[in-house]
């Protein structure tokens, strides 16, 4: 396998890792491909910069960070746990090329505005990642084939979680992996949320390979515990932020309206988004996909500010100029009120198909291994002095309290105008009825609303 070292190490400056060290020709060549450079034009956190103004970092920076953490993992393993005999469960550094390439390329298939784009056009960034790696027409594939004819498929199998060495898979994808550790640190740095920080150096120091994957030494358990709590906090405070989700709803409905106008033959030719047409028609190929980035979509949205369709132009304005929908939480017990609220939104002159939405965001901060589940998670193993393994939540009361408990909420989104209080407004009676079902940011039942003092 050809994995040639550079004559001199190249470095990239990074605010989280200080330096990202590139030591191999293949890694530098992959970074310089058009497919990888496209990640400079895709924000890591999508629309979160509408809430956290510093969160404009890119998937390019994140991918370099994941590579750097994986490189440090390999260095730790080869220095401290090198294999002595075949099958001894220690680290075989012949795995380094596939680890580093998989770490660097794990997100290369992400599209413009990532997850929102996936939902409206039914794309799958992991499938597209594998296609970029294995399609003989991509620059990435040509470079990977230079390592070996089967190497592109090997890297793709890591992304697909089917690579035969579980150590390699868990380094890139598990409950504590290079991907998660980097995005938590980068996202915490750029959003200014200090509770997302944890001791990466300590975690890397106490990681060790064993025959079935990766474990952590018992004296480093508290660093791992801190990581789990940091991840929990970031989901609650950043990833599930209600305003970010409101902007995602705006983006989703903006693309949904454009798609509807195109499919119904109503899209005016002067405003036609040529690069989106293959996605409207579901005929797109890999070349079409790689032409899109956040800036391309924003350019179309700017054109649509002047579009004659009032819904499309309004949502373009709402997205570009940060006019998010407002929201309230609801539960299974108050969900029966949602049709009533939609009717009131319609009575106030808003099309409820576009100006209302339900959004639920939940996450398991830590999930114990359950082989019967549809997608069983790899549990975090703590290695005792005698070599036995204990699952993290059995040792940590803090992690046990978070384990298996989905956290998050369900929200109903609606126009901010529904919260207006002007007595002279034509729709004031409708606004008052709407607000009668709201209390402290949530929906309340009919009986509770009857007891509630009028405004």
């Amino acid at each position: 396998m050809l994995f040639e070292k550079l004559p001199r190490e190249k470095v990239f400056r990074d605010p989280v890792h200080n330096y990202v060290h590139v030591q191999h020709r293949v890694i530098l060549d992959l970074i310089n491909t058009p497919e990888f450079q496209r990640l400079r034009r895709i924000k890591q956190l999508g629309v979160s910069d509408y809430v956290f103004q510093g969160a404009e970092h890119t998937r390019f920076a994140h991918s370099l960070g994941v590579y750097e953490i994986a490189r440090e993992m390999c260095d730790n393993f080869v220095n401290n746990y090198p294999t002595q005999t075949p099958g001894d469960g220690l680290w075989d550094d012949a795995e380094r090329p596939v680890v580093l390439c998989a770490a660097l390329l794990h997100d290369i298939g992400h599209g413009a505005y990532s997850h929102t784009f996936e939902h409206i056009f039914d794309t799958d960034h992991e499938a597209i990642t594998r296609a970029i790696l294995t399609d003989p027409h991509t620059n990435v594939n040509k470079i990977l084939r230079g390592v070996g004819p089967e190497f592109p498929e090997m890297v793709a199998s890591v992304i697909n979680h089917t690579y035969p060495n579980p150590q390699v898979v868990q380094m890139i994808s598990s409950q504590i992996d290079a991907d998660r550790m980097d995005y938590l640190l980068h996202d915490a740095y750029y959003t200014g949320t200090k509770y997302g920080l944890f001791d990466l150096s300590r975690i890397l120091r106490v990681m060790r390979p064993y025959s079935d994957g990766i474990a952590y030494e018992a004296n480093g358990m508290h660093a791992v515990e801190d990581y789990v709590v940091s991840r929990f906090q970031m989901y609650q405070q950043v990833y599930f932020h209600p305003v970010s989700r409101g902007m995602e709803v705006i983006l989703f409905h903006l693309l949904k309206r454009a798609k509807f106008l195109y499919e119904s033959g109503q899209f005016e030719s002067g405003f036609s988004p040529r690069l989106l047409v293959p996605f409207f028609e579901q005929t797109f190929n890999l070349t079409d996909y790689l032409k899109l980035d956040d800036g391309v979509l924003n350019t179309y949205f700017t054109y649509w500010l002047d579009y004659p369709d009032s819904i499309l132009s309004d949502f373009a304005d709402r997205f570009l100029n940060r006019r998010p929908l407002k929201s309230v939480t609801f539960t299974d017990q108050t969900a029966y009120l949602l049709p009533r609220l939609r009717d009131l939104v319609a009575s106030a002159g808003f099309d409820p198909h576009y100006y209302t939405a339900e959004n639920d965001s939940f996450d398991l901060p830590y999930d114990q291994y359950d082989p019967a589940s549809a997608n069983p998670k790899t549990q975090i193993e703590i290695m005792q002095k005698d070599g036995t393994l204990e699952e993290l939540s059995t040792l940590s009361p803090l992690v046990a309290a978070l384990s298996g408990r989905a956290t998050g909420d369900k929200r109903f989104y609606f126009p901010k105008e529904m919260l207006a209080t002007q007595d002279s407004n034509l729709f004031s009676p409708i606004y008052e009825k709407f607000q009668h079902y709201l209390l402290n940011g949530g929906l309340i039942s009919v009986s509770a609303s009857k007891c509630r003092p009028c405004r």
Side-chain angles (χ1 to χ4, degrees), residues 13 35 40 106 178 217 223 234 256 292 329 341 380 395 420:
R13 290 302 299 260
E35 294 93 344
R40 291 182 183 273
H106 77 287
E217 294 176 357
M234 286 294 286
K256 174 183 171 182
L292 295 182
T329 59
L341 295 183
I380 297 177
L395 301 173

Side-chain angles (χ1 to χ4, degrees), residues 133-363:
L133 299 180
T134 58
D135 188 316
H137 299 99
T138 67
N139 294 276
V140 166
N141 178 266
K142 292 172 185 174
I143 291 167
L144 294 177
R145 275 190 281 122
V147 179
E150 306 301 322
F151 192 65
E153 292 289 350
M154 292 170 62
V155 178
S157 70
V158 178
I159 308 298
N160 201 36
H161 308 160
T162 57
Y163 190 75
N165 186 341
Q167 296 170 353
V168 172
V169 174
Q170 288 181 34
M171 290 166 77
I172 308 302
S173 180
S174 61
Q175 292 203 74
I176 178 168
D177 56 34
D179 179 24
R180 293 188 186 200
M181 288 193 285
D182 181 80
Y183 75 61
L184 290 177
L185 292 174
H186 266 110
D187 295 351
Y189 178 88
Y190 284 103
T191 58
T193 48
K194 298 292 190 292
Y195 42 69
L197 303 177
F198 60 91
D199 192 347
L200 172 65
S201 297
R202 182 61 179 161
I203 289 178
L204 294 178
R205 181 70 183 168
V206 299
M207 289 181 75
R208 58 171 301 160
Y210 75 104
S211 57
D212 293 326
I214 305 295
Y216 300 84
E217 294 176 357
N219 61 4
M221 185 191 77
H222 295 298
V224 178
E225 183 183 67
D226 184 41
Y227 156 84
V228 173
V229 174
S230 295
R231 184 175 181 275
F232 166 75
Q233 294 282 21
M234 286 294 286
Y235 270 85
Q236 300 309 303
Q237 299 297 320
V238 176
Y239 306 137
F240 291 167
H241 195 287
V243 177
S244 294
R245 288 155 62 186
M247 291 305 298
E248 287 175 358
V249 169
I250 293 287
L251 176 58
F252 181 86
H253 285 183
L254 172 57
L255 291 170
K256 174 183 171 182
R257 184 62 176 179
K259 187 170 183 280
F260 166 78
L261 292 172
Y262 183 86
E263 291 176 344
S264 60
Q266 300 179 51
F267 220 108
E268 297 194 7
S269 58
F271 293 90
S272 179
R274 185 175 62 83
L275 296 180
L276 281 175
V277 168
F279 298 89
F280 291 152
E281 297 179 346
Q282 286 295 299
T283 59
F284 69 92
N285 56 33
L286 193 55
T287 300
D288 297 323
Y289 188 88
L290 293 172
K291 288 178 181 177
L292 295 182
D293 55 45
D294 294 357
V296 170
L297 291 191
N298 286 345
T299 299
Y300 287 134
F301 301 160
T302 302
Y303 290 150
W304 294 345
L305 289 171
D306 300 318
Y307 195 84
D309 180 81
S310 61
I311 293 177
L312 187 68
S313 60
D314 183 49
F315 272 91
D317 178 66
R318 286 175 181 269
F319 185 75
L320 292 174
N321 296 313
R322 196 191 181 279
R323 292 197 295 123
L325 297 176
K326 301 295 284 185
S327 69
V328 290
T329 59
F330 69 94
T331 65
D332 293 342
Q333 290 70 42
T334 56
Y336 74 95
L337 294 170
L338 298 183
R340 199 171 306 176
L341 295 183
R342 286 193 180 90
D343 288 343
L344 290 170
V345 169
S347 298
F350 298 98
D351 185 339
H353 291 98
Y354 291 97
Y355 287 89
T356 67
E358 296 173 38
N359 180 282
D360 61 85
S361 291
F362 290 91
D363 177 66

Side-chain angles (χ1 to χ4, degrees), residues 372-398:
S373 69
N375 296 294
K377 302 292 191 300
T378 303
Q379 62 190 22
I380 297 177
E381 301 280 12
I382 304 299
M383 184 170 286
Q384 304 299 319
K385 290 183 179 180
D386 63 359
T388 59
L389 299 173
E390 295 283 347
E391 188 270 320
L392 175 62
S393 67
T394 65
L395 301 173
S396 167
L398 183 56

Side-chain angles (χ1 to χ4, degrees), residues 5-22:
K5 276 204 166 186
L6 291 167
R8 183 183 179 191
E9 177 184 81
K10 182 173 178 61
V11 295
F12 292 79
R13 290 302 299 260
D14 185 88
V16 169
H17 302 292
N18 190 23
Y19 284 116
V20 174
H21 301 261
V22 176

